[in-house]
């Protein structure tokens, strides 16, 4: 059985520390993955704090989420990572985080949240200007991850433009990119805009 390449492990470990610095992966929350050249996926194991990851905190699964080492337990939402990789061949990394902004906003939202007019919209593909908008789908949280992934896929099929991420109600956000640096950039841009949206919404409520 092949080991996870050192550069891949290092990228996931560094990303875990970066998300922890921003308080986006409290306790053992969140999960991070990178698609390998073989088509397999290197992903964080369940129960590990993302600020203290080591190569032993990672494991490999196939694109159906099946562990290469049956004795190791992958992150609970592994199937959501695999779903993004199957749907988007260009995706090379997937990140899942739990920020205050995405958690609060998703709890209050309907089926989506629209972000408009932000300069950081340019971090997303096909949006060269701030004069645009992104609509993020919001899905009800579900402990049946296979059923949740089916709901995500069904919504994707009905959309003309696939968004660069989505929210799970009261749970967190998922984003992906061509590589880990791109996924991190998109996550940071999205979290900044969600934080702004939360502040703006709170201010409007106070002044209403």
């Amino acid at each position: 059985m092949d080991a996870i390449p050192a550069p891949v492990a290092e990228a996931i470990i560094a990303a875990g520390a970066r998300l922890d610095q921003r308080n986006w992966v409290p306790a053992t929350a969140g999960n991070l993955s990178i698609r390998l050249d073989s088509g397999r996926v290197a992903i964080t194991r369940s129960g590990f704090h993302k600020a203290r990851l080591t190569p032993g905190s990672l494991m490999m699964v196939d694109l159906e989420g099946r562990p290469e080492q049956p004795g190791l337990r992958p992150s609970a939402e592994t199937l959501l990572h695999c779903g993004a990789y199957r749907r988007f061949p260009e995706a090379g990394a997937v990140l899942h985080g739990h920020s205050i902004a995405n958690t609060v906003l998703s709890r209050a939202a309907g089926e989506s949240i629209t972000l408009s007019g932000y300069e950081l919209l340019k971090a997303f593909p096909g949006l060269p200007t701030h004069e645009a908008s992104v609509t993020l789908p919001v899905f009800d949280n579900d402990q049946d991850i296979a059923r949740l992934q089916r709901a995500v896929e069904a919504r994707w099929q009905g959309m003309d433009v696939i968004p660069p991420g989505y929210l799970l109600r009261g749970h967190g956000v998922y984003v992906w990119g061509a590589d880990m640096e791109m996924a991190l950039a998109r996550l940071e841009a999205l979290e900044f805009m969600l934080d702004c949206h939360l502040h703006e919404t709170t201010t409007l409520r106070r002044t209403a």
Side-chain angles (χ1 to χ4, degrees):
M1 180 172 50
D2 298 333
I4 295 173
V8 171
E10 291 167 3
I12 294 176
I13 291 168
R18 192 162 160 181
L19 267 62
D20 176 70
Q21 290 171 356
R22 291 157 175 77
N23 196 32
W24 295 343
V25 282
T28 59
N31 35 73
L32 308 87
S33 70
I34 289 178
R35 190 205 300 257
L36 304 176
D37 291 340
S38 61
R40 295 172 296 175
V41 175
I43 191 166
T44 47
R45 293 170 57 190
S46 179
F48 287 85
H49 197 293
K50 305 310 174 293
R52 297 185 289 276
L53 294 175
T54 69
S57 310
L58 314 177
M59 61 183 294
M60 285 192 286
V61 299
D62 64 16
L63 283 180
E64 299 301 322
R66 292 182 290 257
E68 196 162 278
Q69 289 180 270
L72 300 183
R73 187 159 65 101
S75 177
E77 292 93 19
T78 294
L79 290 179
L80 300 179
H81 288 248
C82 293
Y85 289 128
R86 291 195 304 269
R87 178 62 177 79
F88 308 108
E90 70 277 13
V94 177
L95 298 172
H96 170 48
H98 300 240
S99 73
I100 292 174
N102 72 47
T103 302
V104 172
L105 288 169
S106 65
R107 283 168 58 91
E111 292 190 350
S112 64
I113 293 174
T114 299
L115 301 170
S116 300
Y118 290 103
E119 181 70 14
L120 282 177
L121 284 168
K122 293 191 290 186
F124 301 121
L127 299 177
T129 172
H130 71 281
E131 296 178 341
S133 64
V134 163
T135 298
L136 291 171
V138 179
F139 297 92
D140 289 334
N141 196 20
D142 193 338
Q143 297 304 305
D144 185 329
I145 303 302
R147 182 169 58 198
L148 178 55
Q149 177 57 32
R150 289 194 295 272
V152 172
E153 291 174 353
R155 183 88 67 90
W156 280 340
Q157 290 175 3
M159 299 182 73
D160 294 330
V161 177
I162 301 299
Y166 60 85
L167 298 172
L168 301 180
R169 198 178 310 283
H171 184 152
V173 66
Y174 273 86
V175 300
W176 49 85
D179 53 29
M180 182 58 82
E181 280 303 310
M182 180 61 71
L184 284 166
R186 289 182 180 173
L187 179 60
E188 290 178 358
L190 181 57
E191 287 292 356
F192 176 84
M193 291 185 286
L194 288 172
D195 199 27
C196 289
H197 190 62
L198 177 60
H199 280 73
E200 183 177 64
T201 302
T202 303
T203 300
L204 290 173
R205 287 176 179 170
R206 287 174 179 169
T207 57

